[in-house]
Amino acid sequence: MPVERRIVGRRASRRTRGGRGQSTVEFALVLPLVLFTVMAILQVAFVVRDQVAVVHAAREGARAASVDPDPRAPHEAVHRTVPGAQVDTGRRPAVGEPLRVEVRYRSATTLPLVGRLFPDPVLHASATMRVER
């Protein structure tokens, strides 16, 4: 009986070693796909972050334009929030009228591996507020 156990034990260890090698090969084949997926998710998260910043910049620009008659005020407010954004305010209406500020920003996709595959999206946001002064 001890002889049979020994043979069975050897066969089991051989199968385990072969299974370990197979797992390593499968992991090596799947790892690039997993890394690419994680990088793509991170790139999408960065674009979403930029979109939130653009929306916030539009609100800041509209607020600055509604309380400050200086035509540079909304541009400065937007550029403090999102440097490099394009701002369009149009002409300033009379007090009590709505004022619209539009912001456009090109979000750079610069992560390694995935940044070159996705074009840089142009993000848009606008905000409208009543002119107070």
Side-chain angles (χ1 to χ4, degrees):
M1 246 209 341
V3 174
E4 284 183 27
R5 286 185 180 166
R6 205 167 165 187
I7 292 173
V8 171
R10 285 183 185 166
R11 287 183 184 164
S13 67
R14 284 182 189 155
R15 277 191 228 133
T16 305
R17 275 186 277 155
R20 284 188 208 141
Q22 180 180 355
S23 297
T24 303
V25 170
E26 289 173 357
F27 180 72
L29 291 174
V30 172
L31 183 63
L33 180 63
V34 170
L35 287 176
F36 181 80
T37 303
V38 168
M39 296 294 277
I41 290 170
L42 280 172
Q43 186 63 65
V44 169
F46 290 149
V47 171
V48 169
R49 177 202 61 191
D50 289 345
Q51 177 63 35
V52 170
V54 168
V55 169
H56 181 67
R59 288 184 190 150
E60 288 292 319
R63 180 68 183 151
S66 70
V67 297
D68 191 353
D70 183 13
R72 293 175 296 170
H75 296 276
E76 291 170 359
V78 167
H79 290 135
R80 275 194 305 268
T81 307
V82 180
Q86 297 174 348
V87 184
D88 182 24
T89 57
R91 64 175 193 80
R92 183 178 170 84
V95 174
E97 295 294 317
L99 172 82
R100 183 180 177 100
V101 174
E102 294 183 17
V103 178
R104 287 179 302 285
Y105 177 70
R106 183 175 299 276
S107 178
T109 54
T110 57
L111 277 182
L113 301 176
V114 295
R116 291 184 178 174
L117 297 177
F118 300 115
D120 293 348
V122 177
L123 308 174
H124 301 268
S126 64
T128 305
M129 289 191 183
R130 212 167 29 109
V131 176
E132 296 179 12
R133 295 188 219 172

